[in-house]
Amino acid sequence: MKPVTVITGGSRGIGAATARRLATAGHHVAFSYRRDRTAAAAVLADIEAAGVRGVAVPADTRHPGQVAALFDAAADLGPLTGLVNNAGVTSPIGPFVDLDPADLRDVVDINLVGYVLCAQQAARRMGDGAAIVNVSSAAATLGSPGEYVHYAAVKAATDTLTTGLAKELAPRGIRVNAVAPGIIRTDIHALSGQPDRPDRAAARIPLGRPGEPDEVAGAIAWLLGPDATYTTGTVLRVAGGL
Ligand code: NAP
């Protein structure tokens, strides 16, 4: 039987790269998106072209009912074996004192509450051998001063969620890990007001360049796969040395 994996935020960036990679590796894939229907349709077409089944669900991970609908749609593909908690946002880059409370709430609601709601659905439905990967950030340990300290703090919470859930779900044979990307070339930087951030940051990245979404997708695929069966509760840094 093929693995069945839910990916949140699969229409662009790291989530889309992960959807395509997992489909190529033989996973049926159910993914959510919020707004970009055209991008979601393109990813779905690539999943199906890989010879597996896919479903794209417009589901905002902030809302428990929409999260449940995403997992119900995935259930049509078979028993759930994987979750990639990926849907995330930053805020306009800037000093901490200028942070708008509405942006703060968005970051907490999507990057933390959404991850918890999805992990809860997954934990209720998964069995022995299943795995969850939370997409964290190198920001969790770097702190993102002058950019988005609140986002970094929420990503640190993602790491703690990973530690606790890994221990709670281990007796049921469910593994829980995180990846912590550094600066990856996706639309998230334009959405935070600095589309050129990956290129400007290159000089301070030890490997001398930003990462590509597929380089993170590879780490996620490994954590979900059969070579990682003794790996749980870890945060795998994919950050070019940052
Ligand atoms: P991205 O290119 O902006 O893509 C974000 C994806 O999440 C899109 O598919 C978007 O769908 C979806 N999404 C956003 N809010 C959502 C919501 N409330 N419900 C459902 N879907 C939602 O972002 P990315 O750079 O790939 O980031 C993915 C993850 O990696 C995030 O958790 C981010 O914090 C983390 N990360 C990124 C970097 C980086 O440098 N790129 C570094 C470290 C960590 P729509 O387009 O339909 O809105």
Side-chain angles (χ1 to χ4, degrees):
M1 205 152 48
K2 289 188 191 305
V4 174
T5 301
V6 167
I7 304 170
T8 62
S11 59
R12 290 187 282 107
I14 293 167
T18 304
R20 291 183 168 108
R21 181 178 274 257
L22 292 181
T24 303
H27 293 233
H28 298 312
V29 176
F31 71 88
S32 69
Y33 63 101
R34 189 162 51 151
R35 286 186 282 247
D36 196 341
R37 182 188 299 260
T38 308
V43 174
L44 183 59
D46 288 346
I47 291 170
E48 290 170 347
V52 294
R53 295 175 65 201
V55 60
V57 182
D60 189 322
T61 53
R62 290 175 293 189
H63 302 301
Q66 295 181 33
V67 168
L70 167 64
F71 282 83
D72 287 346
D76 290 342
L77 305 178
L80 185 67
T81 60
L83 165 66
V84 182
N85 249 333
N86 166 78
V89 294
T90 54
S91 301
I93 285 180
F96 182 67
V97 291
D98 294 341
L99 172 62
D100 182 329
D103 290 331
L104 167 63
R105 288 194 195 287
D106 247 12
V107 165
V108 175
D109 279 353
I110 297 173
N111 299 8
L112 181 58
V113 176
Y115 276 37
V116 171
L117 293 174
C118 291
Q120 192 180 38
Q121 283 289 334
R124 287 176 182 152
R125 296 166 188 251
M126 284 173 158
D128 186 25
I132 296 172
V133 176
N134 296 318
V135 181
S136 176
S137 173
T141 57
L142 298 173
S144 301
E147 294 193 321
Y148 26 59
V149 169
H150 59 297
Y151 167 84
V154 168
K155 289 301 190 182
T158 304
D159 293 352
T160 307
L161 177 70
T162 302
T163 302
L165 268 186
K167 290 176 178 169
E168 183 161 334
L169 300 181
R172 292 172 48 200
I174 301 170
R175 297 179 301 104
V176 185
N177 292 289
V179 292
I183 296 174
I184 310 300
R185 204 184 291 282
T186 72
D187 294 346
I188 207 168
H189 307 289
L191 293 169
S192 63
Q194 296 199 359
D196 60 341
R197 181 169 177 265
D199 293 311
R200 281 191 299 100
R204 64 184 166 89
I205 299 171
L207 280 183
R209 64 171 178 85
E212 299 299 330
D214 201 46
E215 296 180 286
V216 183
I220 294 170
W222 182 78
L223 286 169
L224 288 176
D227 287 334
T229 46
Y230 201 56
T231 303
T232 196
T234 197
V235 180
L236 177 54
R237 204 171 182 88
V238 186
L242 267 182

